Amino acid sequence: MTSNVGQNYPYSSETDAQRSAAVDRLLAAREGLADQLANETTALDVNERWWVWKCPTAGCPGLLHVAGYARDLHAIFAVCDGACAKTFLR
């Protein structure tokens, strides 16, 4: 399996409470992330569980947590909890 295909498959899942706690930690720790989410995402709907992906950035051991739906795009906006601190559309 190529790395591009492998990166599209979820790594695991987390409860909505776990997802929310992870995103809240990242919002508290990263300057500007709250503004970015406010400008680039819309609110999530109600789900019991959300997918989690491994970060595709070389050398980053982080996981991607769903932070909202991408505004004006058909995608999920995910935030890495690792050293790269990047955001991704999934």
Side-chain angles (χ1 to χ4, degrees), residues 7-22:
Q7 291 172 2
N8 290 325
Y9 288 99
Y11 168 72
S12 183
S13 68
E14 60 190 356
T15 66
D16 187 58
Q18 291 169 320
R19 179 206 62 77
S20 181

Side-chain angles (χ1 to χ4, degrees), residues 13 18 30 48 57 67 74-75 83:
S13 68
Q18 291 169 320
R30 296 191 184 154
E48 290 182 25
T57 304
H74 186 71

Side-chain angles (χ1 to χ4, degrees), residues 6-84:
Q7 291 172 2
N8 290 325
Y9 288 99
Y11 168 72
S12 183
S13 68
E14 60 190 356
T15 66
D16 187 58
Q18 291 169 320
R19 179 206 62 77
S20 181
V23 172
D24 287 346
R25 279 192 313 274
L26 295 171
L27 287 170
R30 296 191 184 154
E31 189 175 324
L33 182 58
D35 291 336
Q36 183 180 14
L37 291 180
N39 292 328
E40 297 182 28
T41 68
T42 61
L44 293 170
D45 51 359
V46 177
N47 282 312
E48 290 182 25
R49 297 195 72 79
W50 292 92
W51 291 118
V52 177
W53 295 268
K54 288 211 174 223
C55 182
T57 304
C60 181
L63 297 175
L64 305 181
H65 302 277
V66 176
Y69 290 116
R71 190 178 303 276
D72 301 326
L73 297 171
H74 186 71
I76 290 174
F77 194 93
V79 180
C80 180
D81 65 5
C84 79

